[in-house]
Amino acid sequence: MSELPSPVTLLVLDAEPLPRLGSLSGRVRVEHADESTLAERLPRADVLLVWDFASHAVRHAWPGEGPRPRWVHTASAGVDHLMSPELAASDTVVTNARGVFDRPIAEYVAALVLAMAKDLPRTWELQRAREWRHRETQRVAGTRACVVGSGPIGRAITGTLEALGITTALVGRTARAGVHGPEQLDRLLTRADWVVSAAPLTAETSGMFDARRLGMMQPSARFINVGRGQLVVEDALVEALNKRWIAGAALDVFPHEPLGPDSALWDVPGLIVSPHMSGDTIGWRDELGAQFVELYERWEAGEPLPNVVDKKRGYVPGH
């Protein structure tokens, strides 16, 4: 077992409800911080649990001299909210919640595909208007999808869509067996009925779905973003929908959250807006807490940690 101070100081960047730490209770000294106190408390922490994964406090609090936690774990798949140049250059290990959200997000994407293909939003509108209007809807089997992001979430989405009979192409950072490289993306976009964005936010992926790429899509295509809001140029997407360059879209993530009531996105024709909930199923917070406890046990025993983020790339490599 590695030699650690006794007890270890675990600092939690809080969000309600607080994490359940189970077997760690009484074994570690737990301190809590919010955005206003994080910088002050970081130097005396051995481990930082970023429970408030919507906060950018870590990015702002990390710079400066002095000791810092040896391990940071974020209860999210993405790490762009916490990564600063100083953290990236440090020897602090960063892990994420890889594995918790894969299946739920894949199910959510499948639900959106079926809802749009079967015109369910319009059915609900007509029901509320007490209007009987027969329509024909689209068969999803035999259509084509392009999923951008070859990590566990993208692979789960691919498998779920293929189970619906959709021919799916997966695009990743590099080409390999079963994965197309980024140089193939434009070609695949021109053929896809469904384009799903599930990539991490990096310098290379920011704004990747711009007016040029949206303009490549078929008029019958639908676009879904469950990755990061900054992957999409929102004004370009709004224009594409208003001018009917594409048939529809669904956004679960946005550059600025929560989406304000005065946002123009609420009223864009053909757009489904959801409040960053695609991965959040009943009990998801308990799964995140249990995952952290399991990782802590490994860290305390000096065992290699899974889910270690490549801090330069901004995601867990090997997928």
Side-chain angles (χ1 to χ4, degrees), residues 54-82:
S55 171
H56 291 80
V58 177
R59 182 188 298 168
H60 301 303
W62 201 272
E65 301 296 328
R68 290 290 186 268
R70 287 171 284 166
W71 170 35
V72 174
H73 177 76
T74 179
S76 60
V79 299
D80 51 277
H81 60 290
L82 59 85

PDB file of all heavy atoms in Angstrom, residues 54-82:
ATOM      1  N   ALA A  54     -20.597  21.232 -13.640  1.00  0.00           N
ATOM      2  CA  ALA A  54     -20.955  22.360 -14.508  1.00  0.00           C
ATOM      3  C   ALA A  54     -20.120  23.596 -14.197  1.00  0.00           C
ATOM      4  O   ALA A  54     -20.124  24.564 -14.948  1.00  0.00           O
ATOM      5  CB  ALA A  54     -22.435  22.690 -14.363  1.00  0.00           C
ATOM      6  N   SER A  55     -19.374  23.550 -13.104  1.00  0.00           N
ATOM      7  CA  SER A  55     -18.606  24.704 -12.659  1.00  0.00           C
ATOM      8  C   SER A  55     -17.259  24.797 -13.378  1.00  0.00           C
ATOM      9  O   SER A  55     -16.640  23.781 -13.700  1.00  0.00           O
ATOM     10  CB  SER A  55     -18.367  24.617 -11.148  1.00  0.00           C
ATOM     11  OG  SER A  55     -17.452  25.602 -10.719  1.00  0.00           O
ATOM     12  N   HIS A  56     -16.807  26.020 -13.600  1.00  0.00           N
ATOM     13  CA  HIS A  56     -15.474  26.278 -14.152  1.00  0.00           C
ATOM     14  C   HIS A  56     -14.508  26.732 -13.061  1.00  0.00           C
ATOM     15  O   HIS A  56     -13.432  27.250 -13.359  1.00  0.00           O
ATOM     16  CB  HIS A  56     -15.549  27.340 -15.250  1.00  0.00           C
ATOM     17  CG  HIS A  56     -16.248  26.869 -16.489  1.00  0.00           C
ATOM     18  ND1 HIS A  56     -17.615  26.823 -16.597  1.00  0.00           N
ATOM     19  CD2 HIS A  56     -15.769  26.413 -17.672  1.00  0.00           C
ATOM     20  CE1 HIS A  56     -17.952  26.367 -17.798  1.00  0.00           C
ATOM     21  NE2 HIS A  56     -16.846  26.105 -18.468  1.00  0.00           N
ATOM     22  N   ALA A  57     -14.877  26.497 -11.806  1.00  0.00           N
ATOM     23  CA  ALA A  57     -14.079  27.008 -10.694  1.00  0.00           C
ATOM     24  C   ALA A  57     -12.676  26.419 -10.655  1.00  0.00           C
ATOM     25  O   ALA A  57     -11.721  27.106 -10.279  1.00  0.00           O
ATOM     26  CB  ALA A  57     -14.799  26.741  -9.368  1.00  0.00           C
ATOM     27  N   VAL A  58     -12.526  25.149 -11.024  1.00  0.00           N
ATOM     28  CA  VAL A  58     -11.197  24.520 -10.976  1.00  0.00           C
ATOM     29  C   VAL A  58     -10.253  25.208 -11.949  1.00  0.00           C
ATOM     30  O   VAL A  58      -9.090  25.474 -11.631  1.00  0.00           O
ATOM     31  CB  VAL A  58     -11.291  23.012 -11.286  1.00  0.00           C
ATOM     32  CG1 VAL A  58      -9.902  22.383 -11.309  1.00  0.00           C
ATOM     33  CG2 VAL A  58     -12.168  22.315 -10.250  1.00  0.00           C
ATOM     34  N   ARG A  59     -10.743  25.507 -13.130  1.00  0.00           N
ATOM     35  CA  ARG A  59      -9.908  26.166 -14.134  1.00  0.00           C
ATOM     36  C   ARG A  59      -9.371  27.498 -13.616  1.00  0.00           C
ATOM     37  O   ARG A  59      -8.229  27.866 -13.870  1.00  0.00           O
ATOM     38  CB  ARG A  59     -10.720  26.387 -15.406  1.00  0.00           C
ATOM     39  CG  ARG A  59      -9.931  27.022 -16.540  1.00  0.00           C
ATOM     40  CD  ARG A  59     -10.837  27.384 -17.694  1.00  0.00           C
ATOM     41  NE  ARG A  59     -11.479  26.220 -18.275  1.00  0.00           N
ATOM     42  CZ  ARG A  59     -12.483  26.287 -19.149  1.00  0.00           C
ATOM     43  NH1 ARG A  59     -12.958  27.461 -19.506  1.00  0.00           N
ATOM     44  NH2 ARG A  59     -12.995  25.190 -19.652  1.00  0.00           N
ATOM     45  N   HIS A  60     -10.191  28.227 -12.873  1.00  0.00           N
ATOM     46  CA  HIS A  60      -9.782  29.533 -12.366  1.00  0.00           C
ATOM     47  C   HIS A  60      -8.969  29.431 -11.084  1.00  0.00           C
ATOM     48  O   HIS A  60      -8.126  30.290 -10.809  1.00  0.00           O
ATOM     49  CB  HIS A  60     -11.017  30.398 -12.133  1.00  0.00           C
ATOM     50  CG  HIS A  60     -11.841  30.617 -13.367  1.00  0.00           C
ATOM     51  ND1 HIS A  60     -11.332  31.179 -14.519  1.00  0.00           N
ATOM     52  CD2 HIS A  60     -13.140  30.313 -13.640  1.00  0.00           C
ATOM     53  CE1 HIS A  60     -12.276  31.223 -15.450  1.00  0.00           C
ATOM     54  NE2 HIS A  60     -13.382  30.708 -14.940  1.00  0.00           N
ATOM     55  N   ALA A  61      -9.208  28.385 -10.288  1.00  0.00           N
ATOM     56  CA  ALA A  61      -8.551  28.280  -8.984  1.00  0.00           C
ATOM     57  C   ALA A  61      -7.189  27.597  -9.056  1.00  0.00           C
ATOM     58  O   ALA A  61      -6.368  27.781  -8.161  1.00  0.00           O
ATOM     59  CB  ALA A  61      -9.453  27.510  -8.012  1.00  0.00           C
ATOM     60  N   TRP A  62      -6.926  26.815 -10.083  1.00  0.00           N
ATOM     61  CA  TRP A  62      -5.699  26.019 -10.122  1.00  0.00           C
ATOM     62  C   TRP A  62      -4.432  26.857 -10.261  1.00  0.00           C
ATOM     63  O   TRP A  62      -3.427  26.560  -9.621  1.00  0.00           O
ATOM     64  CB  TRP A  62      -5.767  24.990 -11.240  1.00  0.00           C
ATOM     65  CG  TRP A  62      -4.805  23.863 -11.020  1.00  0.00           C
ATOM     66  CD1 TRP A  62      -3.500  23.802 -11.423  1.00  0.00           C
ATOM     67  CD2 TRP A  62      -5.051  22.652 -10.298  1.00  0.00           C
ATOM     68  NE1 TRP A  62      -2.921  22.627 -11.014  1.00  0.00           N
ATOM     69  CE2 TRP A  62      -3.866  21.893 -10.314  1.00  0.00           C
ATOM     70  CE3 TRP A  62      -6.171  22.139  -9.647  1.00  0.00           C
ATOM     71  CZ2 TRP A  62      -3.766  20.646  -9.714  1.00  0.00           C
ATOM     72  CZ3 TRP A  62      -6.078  20.898  -9.047  1.00  0.00           C
ATOM     73  CH2 TRP A  62      -4.873  20.164  -9.080  1.00  0.00           C
ATOM     74  N   PRO A  63      -4.386  27.894 -11.099  1.00  0.00           N
ATOM     75  CA  PRO A  63      -3.140  28.655 -11.241  1.00  0.00           C
ATOM     76  C   PRO A  63      -2.643  29.192  -9.905  1.00  0.00           C
ATOM     77  O   PRO A  63      -3.426  29.521  -9.006  1.00  0.00           O
ATOM     78  CB  PRO A  63      -3.532  29.801 -12.178  1.00  0.00           C
ATOM     79  CG  PRO A  63      -4.700  29.284 -12.941  1.00  0.00           C
ATOM     80  CD  PRO A  63      -5.443  28.408 -11.978  1.00  0.00           C
ATOM     81  N   GLY A  64      -1.316  29.290  -9.774  1.00  0.00           N
ATOM     82  CA  GLY A  64      -0.713  29.813  -8.552  1.00  0.00           C
ATOM     83  C   GLY A  64       0.317  28.860  -7.988  1.00  0.00           C
ATOM     84  O   GLY A  64       0.389  27.694  -8.365  1.00  0.00           O
ATOM     85  N   GLU A  65       1.122  29.378  -7.100  1.00  0.00           N
ATOM     86  CA  GLU A  65       2.165  28.585  -6.463  1.00  0.00           C
ATOM     87  C   GLU A  65       1.598  27.767  -5.318  1.00  0.00           C
ATOM     88  O   GLU A  65       0.521  28.045  -4.799  1.00  0.00           O
ATOM     89  CB  GLU A  65       3.269  29.510  -5.954  1.00  0.00           C
ATOM     90  CG  GLU A  65       3.929  30.350  -7.040  1.00  0.00           C
ATOM     91  CD  GLU A  65       4.665  29.503  -8.050  1.00  0.00           C
ATOM     92  OE1 GLU A  65       5.180  28.434  -7.655  1.00  0.00           O
ATOM     93  OE2 GLU A  65       4.715  29.890  -9.233  1.00  0.00           O
ATOM     94  N   GLY A  66       2.378  26.758  -4.920  1.00  0.00           N
ATOM     95  CA  GLY A  66       2.011  25.980  -3.742  1.00  0.00           C
ATOM     96  C   GLY A  66       1.503  24.603  -4.084  1.00  0.00           C
ATOM     97  O   GLY A  66       1.327  24.249  -5.251  1.00  0.00           O
ATOM     98  N   PRO A  67       1.244  23.791  -3.065  1.00  0.00           N
ATOM     99  CA  PRO A  67       0.792  22.415  -3.275  1.00  0.00           C
ATOM    100  C   PRO A  67      -0.602  22.361  -3.896  1.00  0.00           C
ATOM    101  O   PRO A  67      -1.402  23.272  -3.726  1.00  0.00           O
ATOM    102  CB  PRO A  67       0.805  21.820  -1.862  1.00  0.00           C
ATOM    103  CG  PRO A  67       0.673  22.996  -0.944  1.00  0.00           C
ATOM    104  CD  PRO A  67       1.373  24.121  -1.632  1.00  0.00           C
ATOM    105  N   ARG A  68      -0.835  21.276  -4.594  1.00  0.00           N
ATOM    106  CA  ARG A  68      -2.134  21.039  -5.218  1.00  0.00           C
ATOM    107  C   ARG A  68      -2.469  19.556  -5.053  1.00  0.00           C
ATOM    108  O   ARG A  68      -1.593  18.727  -4.807  1.00  0.00           O
ATOM    109  CB  ARG A  68      -2.093  21.390  -6.707  1.00  0.00           C
ATOM    110  CG  ARG A  68      -1.976  22.894  -7.002  1.00  0.00           C
ATOM    111  CD  ARG A  68      -3.265  23.606  -6.634  1.00  0.00           C
ATOM    112  NE  ARG A  68      -3.256  25.011  -7.021  1.00  0.00           N
ATOM    113  CZ  ARG A  68      -2.865  26.006  -6.236  1.00  0.00           C
ATOM    114  NH1 ARG A  68      -2.384  25.741  -5.030  1.00  0.00           N
ATOM    115  NH2 ARG A  68      -2.931  27.263  -6.653  1.00  0.00           N
ATOM    116  N   PRO A  69      -3.754  19.171  -5.183  1.00  0.00           N
ATOM    117  CA  PRO A  69      -4.127  17.751  -5.066  1.00  0.00           C
ATOM    118  C   PRO A  69      -3.356  16.886  -6.055  1.00  0.00           C
ATOM    119  O   PRO A  69      -3.055  17.304  -7.172  1.00  0.00           O
ATOM    120  CB  PRO A  69      -5.627  17.761  -5.383  1.00  0.00           C
ATOM    121  CG  PRO A  69      -6.076  19.141  -5.042  1.00  0.00           C
ATOM    122  CD  PRO A  69      -4.935  20.037  -5.383  1.00  0.00           C
ATOM    123  N   ARG A  70      -3.053  15.656  -5.612  1.00  0.00           N
ATOM    124  CA  ARG A  70      -2.355  14.717  -6.483  1.00  0.00           C
ATOM    125  C   ARG A  70      -3.282  14.013  -7.460  1.00  0.00           C
ATOM    126  O   ARG A  70      -2.833  13.418  -8.435  1.00  0.00           O
ATOM    127  CB  ARG A  70      -1.631  13.675  -5.611  1.00  0.00           C
ATOM    128  CG  ARG A  70      -0.409  14.220  -4.889  1.00  0.00           C
ATOM    129  CD  ARG A  70       0.121  13.219  -3.887  1.00  0.00           C
ATOM    130  NE  ARG A  70      -0.717  13.182  -2.695  1.00  0.00           N
ATOM    131  CZ  ARG A  70      -0.657  12.218  -1.771  1.00  0.00           C
ATOM    132  NH1 ARG A  70       0.172  11.205  -1.940  1.00  0.00           N
ATOM    133  NH2 ARG A  70      -1.428  12.267  -0.707  1.00  0.00           N
ATOM    134  N   TRP A  71      -4.577  14.077  -7.162  1.00  0.00           N
ATOM    135  CA  TRP A  71      -5.554  13.413  -8.018  1.00  0.00           C
ATOM    136  C   TRP A  71      -6.820  14.258  -8.055  1.00  0.00           C
ATOM    137  O   TRP A  71      -7.306  14.711  -7.027  1.00  0.00           O
ATOM    138  CB  TRP A  71      -5.835  12.006  -7.481  1.00  0.00           C
ATOM    139  CG  TRP A  71      -6.995  11.287  -8.121  1.00  0.00           C
ATOM    140  CD1 TRP A  71      -7.399  11.353  -9.423  1.00  0.00           C
ATOM    141  CD2 TRP A  71      -7.906  10.395  -7.473  1.00  0.00           C
ATOM    142  NE1 TRP A  71      -8.490  10.557  -9.634  1.00  0.00           N
ATOM    143  CE2 TRP A  71      -8.818   9.948  -8.448  1.00  0.00           C
ATOM    144  CE3 TRP A  71      -8.017   9.915  -6.172  1.00  0.00           C
ATOM    145  CZ2 TRP A  71      -9.848   9.068  -8.160  1.00  0.00           C
ATOM    146  CZ3 TRP A  71      -9.049   9.033  -5.873  1.00  0.00           C
ATOM    147  CH2 TRP A  71      -9.944   8.613  -6.870  1.00  0.00           C
ATOM    148  N   VAL A  72      -7.341  14.467  -9.259  1.00  0.00           N
ATOM    149  CA  VAL A  72      -8.614  15.161  -9.463  1.00  0.00           C
ATOM    150  C   VAL A  72      -9.544  14.219 -10.210  1.00  0.00           C
ATOM    151  O   VAL A  72      -9.174  13.670 -11.261  1.00  0.00           O
ATOM    152  CB  VAL A  72      -8.421  16.461 -10.272  1.00  0.00           C
ATOM    153  CG1 VAL A  72      -9.777  17.083 -10.610  1.00  0.00           C
ATOM    154  CG2 VAL A  72      -7.554  17.459  -9.509  1.00  0.00           C
ATOM    155  N   HIS A  73     -10.729  14.036  -9.677  1.00  0.00           N
ATOM    156  CA  HIS A  73     -11.744  13.229 -10.365  1.00  0.00           C
ATOM    157  C   HIS A  73     -12.955  14.108 -10.619  1.00  0.00           C
ATOM    158  O   HIS A  73     -13.458  14.779  -9.713  1.00  0.00           O
ATOM    159  CB  HIS A  73     -12.171  12.025  -9.527  1.00  0.00           C
ATOM    160  CG  HIS A  73     -13.272  11.226 -10.174  1.00  0.00           C
ATOM    161  ND1 HIS A  73     -13.050  10.369 -11.227  1.00  0.00           N
ATOM    162  CD2 HIS A  73     -14.615  11.189  -9.933  1.00  0.00           C
ATOM    163  CE1 HIS A  73     -14.195   9.817 -11.599  1.00  0.00           C
ATOM    164  NE2 HIS A  73     -15.161  10.306 -10.832  1.00  0.00           N
ATOM    165  N   THR A  74     -13.449  14.100 -11.872  1.00  0.00           N
ATOM    166  CA  THR A  74     -14.658  14.837 -12.199  1.00  0.00           C
ATOM    167  C   THR A  74     -15.806  13.874 -12.462  1.00  0.00           C
ATOM    168  O   THR A  74     -15.627  12.861 -13.147  1.00  0.00           O
ATOM    169  CB  THR A  74     -14.451  15.765 -13.410  1.00  0.00           C
ATOM    170  OG1 THR A  74     -15.677  16.444 -13.697  1.00  0.00           O
ATOM    171  CG2 THR A  74     -13.990  15.004 -14.643  1.00  0.00           C
ATOM    172  N   ALA A  75     -16.957  14.188 -11.906  1.00  0.00           N
ATOM    173  CA  ALA A  75     -18.137  13.330 -12.051  1.00  0.00           C
ATOM    174  C   ALA A  75     -18.843  13.635 -13.374  1.00  0.00           C
ATOM    175  O   ALA A  75     -20.045  13.886 -13.423  1.00  0.00           O
ATOM    176  CB  ALA A  75     -19.083  13.541 -10.872  1.00  0.00           C
ATOM    177  N   SER A  76     -18.071  13.608 -14.453  1.00  0.00           N
ATOM    178  CA  SER A  76     -18.588  13.905 -15.785  1.00  0.00           C
ATOM    179  C   SER A  76     -17.705  13.201 -16.798  1.00  0.00           C
ATOM    180  O   SER A  76     -16.582  12.793 -16.485  1.00  0.00           O
ATOM    181  CB  SER A  76     -18.577  15.412 -16.045  1.00  0.00           C
ATOM    182  OG  SER A  76     -17.259  15.924 -15.966  1.00  0.00           O
ATOM    183  N   ALA A  77     -18.208  13.088 -18.024  1.00  0.00           N
ATOM    184  CA  ALA A  77     -17.391  12.503 -19.084  1.00  0.00           C
ATOM    185  C   ALA A  77     -16.414  13.525 -19.641  1.00  0.00           C
ATOM    186  O   ALA A  77     -15.264  13.219 -19.918  1.00  0.00           O
ATOM    187  CB  ALA A  77     -18.294  11.971 -20.194  1.00  0.00           C
ATOM    188  N   GLY A  78     -16.870  14.766 -19.819  1.00  0.00           N
ATOM    189  CA  GLY A  78     -16.015  15.819 -20.336  1.00  0.00           C
ATOM    190  C   GLY A  78     -15.150  16.437 -19.249  1.00  0.00           C
ATOM    191  O   GLY A  78     -15.520  16.454 -18.077  1.00  0.00           O
ATOM    192  N   VAL A  79     -13.983  16.956 -19.659  1.00  0.00           N
ATOM    193  CA  VAL A  79     -13.070  17.596 -18.707  1.00  0.00           C
ATOM    194  C   VAL A  79     -12.745  19.027 -19.114  1.00  0.00           C
ATOM    195  O   VAL A  79     -11.928  19.685 -18.470  1.00  0.00           O
ATOM    196  CB  VAL A  79     -11.759  16.797 -18.556  1.00  0.00           C
ATOM    197  CG1 VAL A  79     -12.038  15.396 -18.039  1.00  0.00           C
ATOM    198  CG2 VAL A  79     -11.000  16.740 -19.876  1.00  0.00           C
ATOM    199  N   ASP A  80     -13.361  19.530 -20.171  1.00  0.00           N
ATOM    200  CA  ASP A  80     -13.032  20.870 -20.652  1.00  0.00           C
ATOM    201  C   ASP A  80     -13.348  21.953 -19.626  1.00  0.00           C
ATOM    202  O   ASP A  80     -12.720  23.011 -19.609  1.00  0.00           O
ATOM    203  CB  ASP A  80     -13.787  21.158 -21.949  1.00  0.00           C
ATOM    204  CG  ASP A  80     -15.281  20.880 -21.827  1.00  0.00           C
ATOM    205  OD1 ASP A  80     -15.675  19.701 -21.981  1.00  0.00           O
ATOM    206  OD2 ASP A  80     -16.049  21.813 -21.575  1.00  0.00           O
ATOM    207  N   HIS A  81     -14.313  21.693 -18.732  1.00  0.00           N
ATOM    208  CA  HIS A  81     -14.705  22.698 -17.743  1.00  0.00           C
ATOM    209  C   HIS A  81     -13.658  22.910 -16.666  1.00  0.00           C
ATOM    210  O   HIS A  81     -13.692  23.926 -15.973  1.00  0.00           O
ATOM    211  CB  HIS A  81     -16.021  22.283 -17.091  1.00  0.00           C
ATOM    212  CG  HIS A  81     -15.958  20.955 -16.387  1.00  0.00           C
ATOM    213  ND1 HIS A  81     -15.842  19.770 -17.082  1.00  0.00           N
ATOM    214  CD2 HIS A  81     -15.959  20.619 -15.082  1.00  0.00           C
ATOM    215  CE1 HIS A  81     -15.790  18.772 -16.228  1.00  0.00           C
ATOM    216  NE2 HIS A  81     -15.853  19.253 -15.007  1.00  0.00           N
ATOM    217  N   LEU A  82     -12.742  21.959 -16.490  1.00  0.00           N
ATOM    218  CA  LEU A  82     -11.772  22.098 -15.398  1.00  0.00           C
ATOM    219  C   LEU A  82     -10.335  22.264 -15.862  1.00  0.00           C
ATOM    220  O   LEU A  82      -9.467  22.653 -15.078  1.00  0.00           O
ATOM    221  CB  LEU A  82     -11.870  20.913 -14.429  1.00  0.00           C
ATOM    222  CG  LEU A  82     -11.649  19.485 -14.960  1.00  0.00           C
ATOM    223  CD1 LEU A  82     -10.190  19.119 -14.990  1.00  0.00           C
ATOM    224  CD2 LEU A  82     -12.393  18.495 -14.055  1.00  0.00           C
TER     225      LEU A  82
END
